[in-house]
Amino acid sequence: MADSMFTVAGQDMAVDLGTANTLVYVRNRGVVLNEPSVVAINTFTNEALAVGMDAKRMIGRTPSYIQAIRPLRDGVINHFDVAERMLRYFIDKVHRRRWSKPRIVVCVPSGITGVERRAVEEAAYQAGARRAYTIDEPMAAAIGCGMPVSEPKGSMVVDIGGGTTEVAVIALGGIVVSKSIRVGGDEMDGRIIEWVKKEHNLLLGPRTAEQIKMMIGSAYPFNDEPGAEVCGRDLMSGLPKTILLTAAEVRNAIEETVSAIVDAVRVTLDNTPPELAADLMELGIVITGGGALLQVLDQRIAYETGMLVKIAERPLQSVVIGSGRCLEQYEVLHPVLASTSH
């Protein structure tokens, strides 16, 4: 029965339930949704007022009785009811057959506990899944990047998300060595806020910090580094104020986070069996996830490890595409899926 489980065309779906963004892949249709993992709640009525992009626009701009909640922290669910509502909303948004229940593959960090994994599956069931599976994010990312995960050859992937960074060496359809740290793009945003507050007495919002990171953030010095005008609230006067922030300042602000990511890569390499390490010298390291877009991060990791480092072709979609391929090629890739009966 298991081998025929994915024969219903078009409605099975894969969900990359990320700390920052949620992506949905529907079988035979590809990636159909990419929205922020945010839900706006009316605290008086407990009603969900907005989900996704509409809710993200409300962050820092709402009356006191409206809360913009991110139901995942560090890659795991910390607001179960809100996560279930968000997942149900996204499923309903992409589902063509309202009366049928889809089978869902949900991507999870490799370092989560069994309890946290079951919470993700339970959220999928509560959101309307007929059967829920989970897949480790680094495995999904490697499949999505087109790496030869089923071969007796070592492949190394570094998936840098909003709440977690996953580093894994994969061979013969399994994770041989992995390192999962609860550090990612969100922590970089927090570090930028702290730095600007300390050095310039200016208070920034999380959305502004994220924009600064994307515009001028970098992991390594490079030529013609840009600067950016940043507007926030002056902590001395309480009035709006604009300052010029340099790329070097942003790099200093996020250095501790970048160093933690690099250290995770080095620890994983240090624990890799020699035969697979030889493969990695030939194939190199692939970095993916939103954090892979940080300027010259690939050069920083290459300098620290002495290895070839490549950025995935579609770093923001690698994980959901990989889990989607598990739907498309179930007979080949079903061993990488974990499931619980419900």
Side-chain angles (χ1 to χ4, degrees):
M1 180 176 175
D3 289 340
S4 63
M5 192 159 290
F6 287 97
T7 56
V8 179
Q11 293 306 298
D12 301 328
M13 61 181 68
V15 180
D16 177 10
L17 196 61
T19 304
N21 292 284
T22 295
L23 290 86
V24 177
Y25 179 109
V26 174
R27 190 180 185 193
N28 298 331
R29 288 168 59 193
V31 180
V32 295
L33 183 140
N34 181 358
E35 294 211 26
S37 302
V38 185
V39 181
I41 300 287
N42 183 327
T43 56
F44 290 157
T45 63
N46 202 30
E47 177 190 358
L49 301 177
V51 181
M53 185 57 73
D54 291 339
K56 185 174 182 179
R57 292 193 190 103
M58 297 182 181
I59 293 177
R61 302 170 184 268
T62 61
S64 59
Y65 65 89
I66 296 176
Q67 274 189 311
I69 297 173
R70 296 176 67 174
L72 287 96
R73 183 178 296 277
D74 300 332
V76 297
I77 295 173
N78 68 331
H79 286 87
F80 183 85
D81 292 342
V82 178
E84 181 263 312
R85 288 193 213 180
M86 182 180 76
L87 199 50
R88 183 183 293 275
Y89 172 84
F90 290 146
I91 289 171
D92 288 344
K93 191 169 183 178
V94 303
H95 219 299
R96 287 177 175 170
R97 300 180 192 166
R98 303 288 177 187
W99 61 87
S100 64
K101 290 188 172 186
R103 297 173 180 93
I104 299 178
V105 175
V106 187
C107 308
V108 294
S110 60
I112 68 171
T113 65
V115 171
E116 290 167 336
R117 189 181 292 268
R118 283 192 294 276
V120 171
E121 292 174 345
E122 186 61 33
Y125 283 119
Q126 292 295 327
R130 181 179 176 185
R131 185 74 182 268
Y133 296 80
T134 56
I135 181 172
D136 289 338
E137 283 177 4
M139 176 63 78
I143 294 169
C145 293
M147 302 173 84
V149 297
S150 299
E151 297 178 15
K153 218 175 207 184
S155 301
M156 186 169 186
V157 64
V158 181
D159 177 25
I160 308 165
T164 59
T165 295
E166 310 276 328
V167 187
V169 176
I170 297 165
L172 287 170
I175 295 175
V176 181
V177 184
S178 69
K179 177 77 174 172
S180 178
I181 56 172
R182 297 195 172 183
V183 165
D186 287 352
E187 180 160 318
M188 294 184 197
D189 299 343
R191 298 281 182 180
I192 291 169
I193 291 171
E194 288 175 17
W195 174 274
V196 174
K197 184 178 179 180
K198 180 182 173 185
E199 298 294 326
H200 297 280
N201 283 320
L202 194 73
L203 188 63
L204 303 180
R207 287 188 65 190
T208 303
E210 183 184 25
Q211 289 168 351
I212 292 167
K213 176 186 68 181
M214 292 190 293
M215 286 170 57
I216 64 172
S218 61
Y220 211 62
F222 61 98
N223 295 330
D224 300 322
E225 292 185 337
E229 285 193 344
V230 181
C231 186
R233 192 178 84 229
D234 191 314
L235 291 171
M236 302 294 286
S237 67
L239 299 173
K241 179 183 172 183
T242 300
I243 61 165
L244 180 65
L245 207 58
T246 67
E249 284 183 285
V250 176
R251 188 165 55 250
N252 286 336
I254 65 175
E255 172 58 29
E256 193 171 328
T257 305
V258 173
S259 292
I261 292 169
V262 173
D263 287 346
V265 175
R266 294 173 73 164
V267 167
T268 306
L269 285 169
D270 191 43
N271 293 325
T272 300
E275 295 292 341
L276 293 179
D279 294 337
L280 299 181
M281 287 303 294
E282 178 188 341
L283 297 173
I285 301 170
V286 175
I287 56 173
T288 187
L293 300 176
L294 183 70
Q295 295 182 77
V296 297
L297 178 60
D298 53 337
Q299 295 180 29
R300 170 72 179 269
I301 295 175
Y303 174 78
E304 298 273 2
T305 62
M307 295 181 65
L308 173 69
V309 179
K310 297 172 279 190
I311 300 173
E313 192 175 328
R314 288 183 284 183
L316 293 171
Q317 297 185 352
S318 297
V319 171
V320 77
I321 287 173
S323 49
R325 283 182 184 159
C326 291
L327 298 176
E328 309 279 4
Q329 305 170 33
Y330 179 72
E331 290 75 14
V332 177
L333 296 171
H334 74 86
V336 304
L337 299 175
S339 70
T340 57
S341 57
H342 191 80

